[in-house]
Amino acid sequence: MLERYKTIYTGGEGEIIEKKSRFIATVRPVKTEEEALAFIEEMRKKYWDARHNCYVYSIGKNREFTRCSDDGEPSGTAGRPMLDVILGTDLYDVAVVVTRYFGGILLGTGGLVRAYSGAVQAGLAESTIIEKIHGVSLEVTTDYMGIGKIQYIAGERRLPILDSEYTDKVVLHLMVPAHQEESVRKAITEGTNGRAKLSRERELYFADLDGEVLVFDDEIQ
């Protein structure tokens, strides 16, 4: 299991022009090879009149499903350069289709490689990329004397507080990177002189998007 990895949250579309040829890159987050293949077919139907619809996808924490296609371009000038961008950016669970409308001028091997690479980069620039972190949700129950110390620990370690409940006691739901779980438990226990009760709720991936905590608990098997 990856402790953290980068992926696409929302896909985008970027376009470049190279010697009158249009290269349109469409980026999509995908979780299965079936989703990737359906997306590729969708783009082929959308851009049915284009000369080429080259693609790449990489799916799985170990990149179990990774494929690329030149779709009629000279071998190694489209699919592989597109894959190199994905690998170089260290993205997972992503598919990209680059559509080419031929402009009448041959680009040569080097020109094609640069164009397809550049198109993918343009598409990624228009997409939202997030980093998912393997974590756990901890329920922390304390009295009102301990809440200040817990909030201080959470702030110092930049641990998101997902929810809080204030009754005759205080219950906080903390998001903690998995590798920090034991140290956070120790810090809270010592900081509250043992008054806080901690219990693990669930294991998940989470990400921070402009201050908003995104939770992905469907990925943990």
Side-chain angles (χ1 to χ4, degrees):
M1 177 180 294
L2 292 175
E3 286 303 310
R4 58 178 64 219
Y5 69 96
K6 291 195 296 182
T7 189
I8 301 296
Y9 183 59
T10 54
E13 182 181 292
E15 179 177 336
I16 66 172
I17 305 292
E18 188 70 30
K19 293 184 179 178
K20 298 185 179 180
S21 280
R22 292 177 63 201
F23 293 85
I24 306 166
T26 308
V27 181
R28 184 81 55 89
V30 289
K31 291 185 177 180
T32 66
E33 191 169 30
E34 289 74 21
E35 283 185 21
L37 295 175
F39 162 60
I40 293 165
E41 187 59 30
E42 176 189 334
M43 292 299 100
R44 283 173 172 164
K45 289 180 178 178
K46 179 178 180 179
Y47 296 111
W48 59 271
D49 57 340
R51 178 71 66 90
H52 305 281
N53 282 293
C54 305
Y55 67 79
V56 61
Y57 59 84
S58 186
I59 303 164
K61 304 302 183 293
N62 296 309
R63 302 193 184 280
E64 296 90 336
F65 303 101
T66 299
R67 305 282 186 276
C68 60
S69 169
D70 295 313
D71 192 37
E73 292 281 29
S75 178
T77 61
R80 183 66 213 191
M82 293 168 63
L83 177 59
D84 287 343
V85 174
I86 297 301
L87 297 178
T89 314
D90 202 25
L91 285 172
Y92 292 76
D93 296 342
V94 59
V96 184
V97 174
V98 175
T99 302
R100 181 189 183 188
Y101 283 95
F102 185 55
I105 301 174
L106 296 176
L107 301 184
T109 300
L112 288 171
V113 170
R114 287 190 298 273
Y116 278 100
S117 298
V120 175
Q121 291 166 350
L124 293 178
E126 297 300 322
S127 304
T128 301
I129 297 174
I130 58 174
E131 182 176 48
K132 292 185 178 181
I133 301 170
H134 175 215
V136 295
S137 173
L138 289 181
E139 181 183 85
V140 185
T141 305
T142 186
D143 55 28
Y144 280 84
M145 292 181 63
I147 184 62
K149 184 62 177 180
I150 295 171
Q151 289 176 330
Y152 173 79
I153 293 171
E156 184 180 43
R157 293 174 176 250
R158 297 182 179 180
L159 305 176
I161 298 176
L162 296 180
D163 196 11
S164 56
E165 304 158 28
Y166 292 84
T167 55
D168 58 322
K169 57 188 176 183
V170 182
V171 180
L172 298 178
H173 301 273
L174 285 182
M175 187 65 64
V176 180
H179 71 280
Q180 292 185 28
E181 181 180 2
E182 289 307 313
S183 66
V184 169
R185 284 177 175 271
K186 182 179 179 182
I188 290 176
T189 299
E190 293 179 351
T192 61
N193 295 318
R195 293 195 304 272
K197 177 184 176 183
L198 296 93
S199 62
R200 177 190 267 219
E201 295 181 295
R202 63 193 193 278
E203 194 174 359
L204 38 70
Y205 277 99
F206 71 97
D208 182 294
L209 179 61
D210 298 327
E212 178 186 359
V213 180
L214 308 173
V215 176
F216 307 89
D217 53 3
D218 60 332
E219 294 188 28
I220 304 295
Q221 303 298 322

